[in-house]
Amino acid sequence: MTDAVIVLSLMAVIFLFINYRQGKHFESLKEAKKMFLSILPLLLCAFVIVGFLDILIPEKALQAWLGAESGWKGLIFGPIIGALIQGGPYAFFPLFDAVFRETVTTGTAIAMITAWGMINVGHLPYEFTFLGPRFVLLKNAIYLAIPSLTGLLADFLFG
Amino acid sequence: MCAVQSKWQKESNREQDHLGYGISRPHYGFNCFYQGGTPLVGGGFLAGGKTLLQVFPLLIIAFVVAGSVSTLISKEMVNRWLGEEAGWKGPFLGTLLGAMVPGGPFFFYPLMATLIISGANIGTMISFVAAKTLWYVGRIPIEIAFVGVRITVIRFIITFAIPVLAGAAVNYFLPGYTARIRSEVELLRAKGEKSGKGGMQDD
């Protein structure tokens, strides 16, 4: 968590400085406050869900299906879970942090996050409505294997 | 999620039997109440509150970053990029655009429809949606905050080439798809306009 604080603080300073040079620093802080307040109720709900999940989900089962000893299973089930979890980044990442972060391997974590973004089932209705079935087919045919492959590559290179 | 949870159930003890039925918060509340009565429900809220307090300082910083990025990416800038007939500039521009365009799926899918109609190649849009869903820059602060620097960086490195490669492959191997998908999108747009859907689709 300390590394996250350092990196984010640096980013904040840099971006604030760029904004300051353009005379928009005050505006950007107001924007940050606005975003924070509009996200806060969602975050509160997310944290309560996360709290319950923490208590309810059996640690051993999680370990067996997604942990280091799960082997290739983690690279298959991780993306499936990722693709099924609904909600934007402010709901997904806190949940990931509380439930999966400690358990999963680097590869499974990357596969899960990638799947949540790329092949999220919650995007399907929008894709069908605005872009049509042919696009949905093309997109998902290309993307389907990517999360597991990135996970495999991550385990291979950095695991 | 539920399907996997029901798998977990088999390996868990009987106390966990009520886990797989839903992912809504009231339901979890109910589950907790069912399993452990009021103390456990309180425990859920308490655990949630504790997590929130722990990450609160980090969140404030994350939002300062997110806020200042959003003031730097002005609407004019995005509009200028979109107006420039992004399709002919290929997957590279699509990738850049995808990484910078804010908003959820209710915003960027209509945006893609607009781009396709105004001449973007399908490969470019494949690049766009890959970049948007893989590493939209506005998401990075929150990802670092909760997932950590290491995994965020590794994920970025490994997926770095995917959007451009996927888009270029589609443009190269499936050139006929652009026209076919465009006519489908135009059909959907015509339907949508009849039922008077949102202003985001307007040019």
Side-chain angles (χ1 to χ4, degrees):
Chain A
M1 189 159 150
T2 333
D3 54 351
V5 172
I6 294 167
V7 171
L8 282 178
S9 303
L10 271 175
M11 283 168 81
V13 169
I14 292 167
F15 284 122
L16 273 177
F17 182 71
I18 300 172
N19 269 303
Y20 175 74
R21 303 254 318 220
Q22 298 183 7
K24 289 194 287 199
H25 53 292
F26 196 63
E27 201 182 312
S28 69
L29 286 177
K30 268 206 306 217
E31 181 67 25
K33 188 181 144 206
K34 211 176 82 191
M35 284 168 92
F36 184 63
L37 289 180
S38 67
I39 294 291
L40 198 62
L42 187 72
L43 270 178
L44 285 174
C45 291
F47 280 115
V48 172
I49 295 178
V50 165
F52 283 139
L53 277 175
D54 225 11
I55 294 177
L56 286 174
I57 287 185
E59 193 65 33
K60 266 190 191 155
L62 204 64
Q63 195 74 44
W65 284 90
L66 297 168
E69 70 220 53
S70 72
W72 59 270
K73 271 192 287 182
L75 291 178
I76 303 293
F77 291 108
I80 293 174
I81 295 170
L84 290 174
I85 293 178
Q86 293 309 301
Y90 298 105
F92 173 75
F93 287 123
L95 184 110
F96 179 87
D97 180 31
V99 181
F100 301 113
R101 188 175 172 182
E102 298 292 309
T103 315
V104 300
T105 63
T106 304
T108 304
I110 283 166
M112 191 184 265
I113 297 166
T114 305
W116 164 79
M118 279 188 114
I119 52 170
N120 197 306
V121 293
H123 287 192
L124 286 174
Y126 297 105
E127 290 169 0
F128 273 112
T129 312
F130 294 109
L131 300 168
R134 206 185 292 270
F135 180 87
V136 177
L137 210 68
L138 178 68
K139 188 203 121 174
N140 289 297
I142 297 174
Y143 289 0
L144 198 63
I146 289 180
S148 296
L149 290 178
T150 52
L152 193 68
L153 197 62
D155 266 344
F156 185 67
L157 293 176
F158 303 96
Chain B
M1 191 166 183
C2 291
V4 180
Q5 278 178 356
S6 51
K7 294 274 189 193
W8 290 341
Q9 279 175 31
K10 286 177 190 164
E11 300 190 17
S12 61
N13 55 28
R14 240 162 31 98
E15 272 179 25
Q16 312 290 350
D17 270 353
H18 299 274
L19 190 60
Y21 300 146
I23 55 167
S24 66
R25 184 161 63 100
H27 206 118
Y28 277 123
F30 178 77
N31 273 339
C32 282
F33 184 74
Y34 193 83
Q35 288 183 16
T38 327
L40 192 55
V41 178
F45 278 102
L46 212 68
K50 234 170 82 184
T51 321
L52 183 60
L53 277 181
Q54 273 170 4
V55 296
F56 204 76
L58 199 58
L59 278 176
I60 300 281
I61 307 172
F63 275 97
V64 169
V65 176
S68 45
V69 169
S70 83
T71 50
L72 286 176
I73 300 172
S74 64
K75 271 188 188 137
E76 293 154 27
M77 198 167 123
V78 174
N79 275 337
R80 201 166 62 219
W81 284 37
L82 301 189
E84 259 186 351
E85 292 164 334
W88 284 276
K89 305 237 168 177
F92 191 73
L93 189 52
T95 300
L96 264 177
L97 206 63
M100 295 178 78
V101 167
F106 49 85
F107 173 70
F108 69 82
Y109 285 113
L111 187 73
M112 285 169 68
T114 303
L115 281 173
I116 288 173
I117 289 175
S118 57
N121 281 327
I122 292 310
T124 307
M125 289 298 96
I126 289 287
S127 295
F128 173 88
V129 72
K132 168 74 193 164
T133 54
L134 267 178
W135 24 266
Y136 159 56
V137 291
R139 207 174 79 192
I140 291 175
I142 195 87
E143 185 168 346
I144 290 176
F146 285 106
V147 181
V149 177
R150 183 171 171 268
I151 293 205
T152 306
V153 169
I154 293 177
R155 207 176 70 80
F156 189 82
I157 292 170
I158 286 182
T159 57
F160 185 74
I162 290 177
V164 173
L165 285 181
V170 169
N171 274 348
Y172 186 77
F173 291 111
L174 303 165
Y177 264 62
T178 298
R180 279 188 238 163
I181 290 177
R182 183 173 298 143
S183 64
E184 263 186 14
V185 172
E186 276 166 353
L187 221 75
L188 287 167
R189 161 79 59 107
K191 266 194 226 162
E193 267 165 12
K194 260 182 210 161
S195 54
K197 265 184 187 158
M200 275 184 268
Q201 292 177 46
D202 296 337
D203 293 323

